[in-house]
Amino acid sequence: MNRRIATLVAALVPVVVLGVTGSVVTVPFAALGPGPTYNTLGDVDGVPVVQIDGTDVDPTAGHLNMTTVAVRDQLNLFEALGFWASGRQGLVPREEVYPPDKSKEEVQEGNQADFEQSESSAELAALHHLDLPVSLSVTSVAQDGPAAGVLNIGDTLVAVGGTPVSTAGAVREAVSAKAPGDSLDIDYVRDGAPRTGSVVLGARPDDPSKG
């Protein structure tokens, strides 16, 4: 083989290997960047982002935008380098977004729960500002959860472990103060009648040391 051709082939081999490796092998990073922006005073696919029932609502105009964060996962080397060089995306260790002991579905469920909690906090702040009464109702009961057979959908929670509660966060704090296996009294109202039930706590999936 001609020496020049042999030299050229030898030089191209590492380039080809790098190209294949960079486009096939994934890196342990995820990219975080701007996601869709929603106008909370408008609608998405014809459905109002914020819907208020049971009272008159004044017309609104303008924009009150909610920003979101997009997560890009399973990046190859070239994609990660491209995001890093662009300056528009931030690279973080993948385990910070998807902990190794949780599936993507579990992470999404946790994110959804956090979002719903933030919605509840916003609603609570608005109700307090308007000096309106606040109550916490049960919207779902896990069939195999500690509250199964004790609470029903529609029950109004009054206190957990003797502590008055009006938000889901307050319930979570009262439960987290106990250990798995502890018994916890729940005061609630059903069909206008006050009741008290007792549940035996299980372990939290994200922290087995807490109820």
Side-chain angles (χ1 to χ4, degrees):
M1 179 184 294
N2 185 288
R3 178 176 295 181
R4 289 184 178 180
I5 295 177
T7 302
L8 180 60
V9 170
L12 287 176
V13 168
V15 175
V16 173
V17 171
L18 178 61
V20 172
T21 302
S23 60
V24 174
V25 177
T26 58
V27 295
F29 291 92
L32 304 181
T37 299
Y38 299 98
N39 178 19
T40 59
L41 302 181
D43 58 72
V44 176
D45 297 330
V47 179
V49 176
V50 177
Q51 187 167 343
I52 302 174
D53 299 317
T55 187
D56 295 331
V57 180
D58 295 328
T60 58
H63 285 259
L64 182 59
N65 292 334
M66 177 182 68
T67 59
T68 62
V69 176
V71 179
R72 293 172 175 82
D73 190 24
Q74 300 296 323
L75 305 176
N76 62 43
L77 178 60
F78 292 152
E79 289 173 329
L81 289 174
F83 285 136
W84 174 78
S86 71
R88 297 190 299 270
Q89 307 281 338
L91 292 180
V92 298
R94 187 179 186 277
E95 62 184 15
E96 292 187 8
V97 181
Y98 300 107
D101 59 339
K102 292 184 179 180
S103 66
K104 278 192 174 183
E105 290 73 19
E106 290 174 326
V107 172
Q108 291 172 351
E109 289 175 0
N111 291 340
Q112 180 65 28
D114 290 340
F115 183 77
E116 292 175 355
Q117 175 59 37
S118 68
E119 286 184 314
S120 298
S121 297
E123 293 170 356
L124 180 63
L127 291 172
H128 281 316
H129 178 73
L130 297 172
D131 292 326
L132 295 175
V134 177
S135 63
L136 182 63
S137 297
V138 177
T139 58
S140 64
V141 180
Q143 293 183 352
D144 56 350
V150 178
L151 296 176
N152 289 342
I153 294 175
D155 290 346
T156 299
L157 298 183
V158 177
V160 175
T163 301
V165 294
S166 59
T167 67
V171 174
R172 188 177 296 111
E173 289 181 6
V175 172
S176 296
K178 300 291 184 178
D182 286 349
S183 179
L184 192 65
D185 289 336
I186 300 178
D187 298 320
Y188 60 98
V189 174
R190 179 181 298 166
D191 298 329
R195 301 189 180 195
T196 298
S198 181
V199 300
V200 177
L201 300 178
R204 278 175 48 174
D206 60 335
D207 189 347
S209 66
K210 295 181 179 180

